[in-house]
Amino acid sequence: MTAALVAVLAIPALGAVLVAAMPAQADRAARMVGTFAAGAALLAALLLGLDRTAWTGPAAADPGTAGTQPGGAGGSPVQPWHELDLAWAPGLDLRFHLGVDGISYPLVVLTALLTLLCCGYTLWNVPAPGRGRLLVALLLVIEVGITGTFLALDLVLFFVFFEVVLLPMFAVIAVWGGPGRRHAARKFVLYTLFGSVLLLVGIFTVVAATGTADLVRLTADAGSGMSRTTQLLAFTLLAIGFAVKSPLWPLHTWLPDAHTEAPTVGSVVLAGVLLKMGTYGLIRVAVGVAPDGAERAAPTLGVLAVAAIIVGSLVCLAQTELKRLIAYSSVGHMGFVLLGIATLNATGLQAALIGNIAHGIITGLLFFLAGAIKDRAHTGDLVRLGGLRETAPGLAGVLGFAAIASLGLPGLAGFWGEAFAVVAAFRVGGPLWTVLGIVAALGGALTAAYFLRLLRKVTHGPAAPAVAGITAPRLAPAELVAWAPLVVLALVVGLLPALVIGMAADPVTALVTTLATGSR
Amino acid sequence: MVQTVDHVALLPAYVAAGTALLALLLDLAAGRRGAVLGATALGAAATAVTAVVVGSGADRDTFCVPGTSACSYRVDDTGALVAVLFAGLTLAVLALSVPATRVAAVPPGEYAFLLACSMTGGVVLGYSRDLISLIVAVETLTLPLFVLVGLRRRTAASAEGAVTFFVVSVVATAVTLLGAALLYAVTGAVHFNALRTALAEQAQLRDVPLAAAAVVLVLVGLAFKVAAVPFHAWAPAAYDGAPLPVAAYLSTASKLGGVVAILYVAVAALRPWLDVAGPALAAFAVLTMTVGNLVALRQRRMVRLLAWSSVAQAGYIIAPLGAFAVASGRTDDALALAVAATVAYVVFYVLLELGAFGAVVALRRGDADGGEIEDYRGAARRHPWVGAAFVLALVGLAGLPPGLAGLFAKVVVVRSLLGGGAGWLAVVVALNAVVGLAYYVRVAGVLFAGPASAPAPAPAAAHAPAAASAVAPAPGSAAVPPSRPASATPVAPTPDTGLTQAPVPVSVSAPVSAAAGSAGRVAWPVAAALAAVTLAALIVGFAPQLVLDAAALALSR
């Protein structure tokens, strides 16, 4: 299955080169090749879940002796199911070290699925100004970057893949985006590069102090190679880098413009998986490598997360544009995920992991729907929309489903992340966290408020002129094919969360145990 | 006492000097441009081969003071590496010079002769092991460039650039010589190893302010060569006025020479006094990076932007040496890390900068200067391969994939700074990288932009030597953004904020419209050089260990 590890990166990369090299006349054929490559990558991603290496023993073993072997050592919280470890540039502490475990597997599958859906969507609808094959090629390159980030088990390799997504995403927004795309793309790339370079400094703070960049080893050591000050410094730098990506309030200002101006498929990939690079990085890298720093910074992180929830919700209540509202809702949802991470207990981390997946599925669906509405009604302005269920009941129905899933109705995917982040906050105990839990719960109520407001404005009421004039009210087959997996997954993950977080139970418990026993 | 001279050790220098003479003689005898340039190129290649062959044997010393181990000229791996780099750079610049020398204004024989003389200076620089030889070598590297910068004879910009360069250079050399003389006065030594011993043993020199002043003066004078702030003001004028290949040489070989000189002086000679040299180097690094990036944001002319960007890159190159300012950066391990990082960054940088200038040469006609950035609008859609190479170089200089060479260069610098305990400097480097991306992305965007709303004659239907559609690794190739609103770019040329001289240079031979200055066909040597450099950049991007191993050679002192 190491072949699957390489395949899940190599297939999209080769696909991107092939698709971009095809001539302009064969644009549709090129897009089909790209979709096929994305499908093959999804297959490889699913194959990664088979034939897993068994979990060896609890991680409560001595952190000092664990992780001395180069990979998959018993006792390290990071025990990949499949692993690949090749030397690349020893002078940079860079090894081509890939691995997948219970924490990263759902994210890899989500990335592959969303990329496939986006490439398939592009087969049917290419945004202005055309040249769909280049858009598909860029989406595949972004997939390589994101999947590589989730699979990397070497800090420097993680950074390299982290950087790979910046320019392709910039190009997607700058070329195929809406009216304000140039400004949004510039803001996106400069802001996220700022986060990335701080991440680089943080990574090498860790490497300089401990002498290794191997995540398996570093997580096993649980920060014992670094002094407390160094750990806090490293965690702060890493956390700022990931906070820009997640995004965490107040470093979120790049997100609304980028999401609003990006084309539909760009927004789906951006909201669905790009943001998850930040939260995954926080769990895997920042908390795993500098747990003591994480504990000291946890209250700050918690407060900022709850601020994100409240600010995101309040701003959403005032929004008048559809895509911008969904963009700010991402800020709020990521706030719940970050709250879960900040609690640093098993419930919180599990909530964060399932919140990640749920947000990816549901917000991906929401952006598809927003794109569909804007294409049909030629406006995203909530004032000018209304009565969608009169004219396009299918579309209104799916929008209603997605909005309700996003606001956290029990039985649908969004519930678990939100509810159990609050539960985890209460579980930490103490005045601060209890207050944070209460405020976060209030934020959940606000989330419901703005989504119901959205539904009231868009789907209910008399049909506005823009909506009444819709010429293609029925859902196209391509749209049904693209959205059906997301709708089904939102329901299935909502009813059976163990499908997603069952596999992460062991790594998360091991991580939390090292947090508890870790370097003192 | 007759000093024995080891002529075998001097072979690379002989071949380089011989190449220069050959160029001049061939020009007198045959007078054909192709023959002269070709012969010089062969000579440069021969220099590189000789350097490798001579360096692969045991280390050799020559011009030694009899009875001591103080030698002025030493052939070892370091010298071989530097010689090969200079020869390679000269070869690439010669290939890029073909369109420029086609026009009668730039005489090919003198041009090749001067370039080969400069190469000789660079080759000798690599092998020099005492202060005076070092300064002579640096001067030999620089003197021909005064004339080369001024070789676009009918333009005021060229003359102005040459005079600025000359005046500043003379002052800088005087300062360096003063520092060297003062060091000799206090220590009695000019050879690096003797100087090091003297500084290490004579602790009473710490109480002599003159000694510290001497150290700083030498570094200040050499900082000019790398165009470090505040000695950078000559660079934009000189780069913009010079013929494009000469600008390429200035930004690569001249900078390489300055860096090698600083490394030799700081690390070999002044090793015991790095606590004095370190803060100066750190200050240069921070100022250079920051000022270079900030001023580059405002540039409207392509070569000026590349000049300011190369000023900023010089800051990144010196940055690892800034770790000497803290005690943890002066240990042997940290020192080795810093020197290796500097050399590695220089190699990565040289490849990417050559790629950028090569693309500019390919996109401009004959001896045209670099032109405005607006002149390149849509250039990547007319010449897809050249555009892809240009974007790769720009993205590499910014430090992002697919320019992996540049990414690993920044990683190397940050790694060495954190290993040396200068984390604050690493943060400064990181923040500057963000500022740098802003203008690199602006240029890359202009390359792919559609026609501006202002009416301009359709550019010549040029065809690049390959298929129409661009191929990855360039992301976002062949994009079609809408036309910019006409009020976006100011039309009046903005004078450089970094220069104090008033008049904006008037370029007679560079008309404003894009079509007149843009290239039609790309000359084959230019295309070959650009392809070779881009391929090398891609290879070292995917296999950075090659460069790191070469940099480790530089430590074999």
Side-chain angles (χ1 to χ4, degrees), chain A residues 333 355 358-359 362 404-409 411-419 490 494:
Chain A
H333 284 113
H359 178 260
I362 299 169
I404 290 174
S406 193
L407 68 84
L409 191 77
L412 295 173
F415 165 70
W416 301 103
E418 293 195 3

Side-chain angles (χ1 to χ4, degrees), chain B residues 178-552:
Chain B
L178 176 61
L182 287 174
L183 272 177
Y184 179 67
V186 295
T187 58
V190 286
H191 292 84
F192 295 155
N193 43 9
L195 205 49
R196 188 175 175 163
T197 326
L199 286 173
E201 287 172 1
Q202 299 175 34
Q204 72 275 17
L205 283 177
R206 293 261 169 188
D207 302 326
V208 178
L210 204 59
V215 165
V216 175
L217 280 174
V218 172
L219 285 176
V220 157
L222 291 174
F224 150 82
K225 295 288 181 229
V226 238
V229 170
F231 315 106
H232 63 286
W234 61 272
Y239 285 38
D240 207 14
L244 282 171
V246 175
Y249 191 81
L250 272 176
S251 76
T252 50
S254 178
K255 230 174 258 296
L256 174 66
V259 169
V260 169
I262 290 181
L263 276 176
Y264 278 172
V265 168
V267 174
L270 300 177
R271 174 80 173 86
W273 275 49
L274 279 180
D275 53 333
V276 174
L281 289 168
F284 287 151
V286 171
L287 280 173
T288 310
M289 279 189 257
T290 316
V291 171
N293 277 318
L294 289 176
V295 180
L297 285 173
R298 295 183 45 88
Q299 295 308 310
R300 296 275 166 249
R301 290 182 64 80
M302 178 62 87
V303 175
R304 275 188 192 259
L305 184 135
L306 287 176
W308 282 104
S309 111
S310 75
V311 168
Q313 297 285 334
Y316 301 140
I317 294 174
I318 306 177
L321 305 179
F324 299 155
V326 291
S328 55
R330 293 195 285 268
T331 60
D332 282 338
D333 289 338
L335 186 107
L337 202 57
V339 172
T342 304
V343 174
Y345 197 99
V346 164
V347 175
F348 285 126
Y349 158 76
V350 153
L351 284 174
L352 294 167
E353 187 80 355
L354 267 181
F357 269 103
V360 170
V361 168
L363 290 173
R364 299 295 286 174
R365 182 206 58 187
D367 72 335
D369 67 357
E372 308 267 318
I373 296 179
E374 276 304 307
D375 296 343
Y376 295 78
R377 181 173 278 274
R381 300 163 74 210
R382 297 189 289 274
H383 303 256
W385 289 94
V386 176
F390 200 179
V391 168
L392 188 70
L394 287 171
V395 159
L397 286 169
L400 283 178
L404 284 174
L407 177 77
F408 288 129
K410 298 268 187 326
V411 168
V412 164
V413 168
V414 170
R415 179 171 177 270
S416 88
L417 283 172
L418 285 164
W424 55 274
L425 194 49
V427 174
V428 174
V429 170
L431 293 176
N432 270 287
V434 180
V435 178
L437 182 65
Y439 56 83
Y440 289 125
V441 145
R442 172 162 69 97
V443 175
V446 167
L447 284 174
F448 286 107
S453 50
H463 51 281
S469 51
V471 157
S477 44
V480 189
S483 54
R484 255 184 219 183
S487 57
T489 30
V491 176
T494 49
D496 242 7
T497 54
L499 290 179
T500 51
Q501 295 100 316
V504 174
V506 173
S507 304
V508 171
S509 69
V512 178
S513 74
S518 317
R521 287 192 77 92
V522 178
W524 74 264
V526 175
L530 184 59
V533 168
T534 310
L535 193 64
L538 278 172
I539 291 175
V540 302
F542 282 100
Q545 194 60 30
L546 293 172
V547 174
L548 295 169
D549 288 336

Side-chain angles (χ1 to χ4, degrees), chain A residues 178-368:
Chain A
R181 58 184 174 277
R182 309 226 94 182
H183 173 71
R186 270 176 83 95
K187 205 166 161 187
F188 163 76
V189 81
L190 290 175
Y191 220 128
T192 38
L193 182 63
F194 166 72
S196 296
V197 291
L198 286 181
L199 176 66
L200 177 66
V201 178
I203 283 177
F204 276 104
T205 310
V206 171
V207 173
T210 57
T212 176
D214 184 30
L215 260 177
V216 177
R217 171 93 183 272
L218 284 169
T219 321
D221 290 345
S224 55
M226 297 185 271
S227 72
R228 294 195 78 203
T229 329
T230 317
Q231 272 202 50
L232 185 60
L233 181 66
F235 183 83
T236 312
L237 287 166
L238 292 171
I240 296 179
F242 292 127
V244 170
K245 199 78 169 188
S246 301
L248 177 64
W249 183 91
L251 297 170
H252 68 287
T253 47
W254 61 270
L255 181 115
D257 284 331
H259 271 137
T260 316
E261 300 298 336
T264 306
V265 291
S267 297
V268 169
V269 170
L270 189 52
V273 269
L274 217 111
L275 302 185
K276 313 302 176 288
M277 290 163 76
T279 49
Y280 168 82
L282 257 178
I283 298 175
R284 182 75 97 192
V285 177
V287 171
V289 166
D292 187 60
E295 277 169 38
R296 287 165 74 183
T300 319
L301 211 55
V303 169
L304 289 176
V306 170
I309 299 172
I310 300 297
V311 168
S313 307
L314 288 175
V315 173
C316 275
L317 273 173
Q319 283 303 315
T320 54
E321 207 272 336
L322 184 60
K323 280 186 89 163
R324 215 168 167 82
L325 187 146
I326 303 173
Y328 272 108
S329 83
S330 288
V331 176
H333 284 113
M334 285 295 114
F336 274 105
V337 171
L338 287 159
L339 177 65
I341 298 175
T343 58
L344 293 179
N345 59 33
T347 318
L349 289 177
Q350 298 271 40
L353 289 174
I354 194 165
N356 261 347
I357 304 295
H359 178 260
I361 297 170
I362 299 169
T363 312
L365 181 60
L366 275 170
F367 274 113
F368 268 131

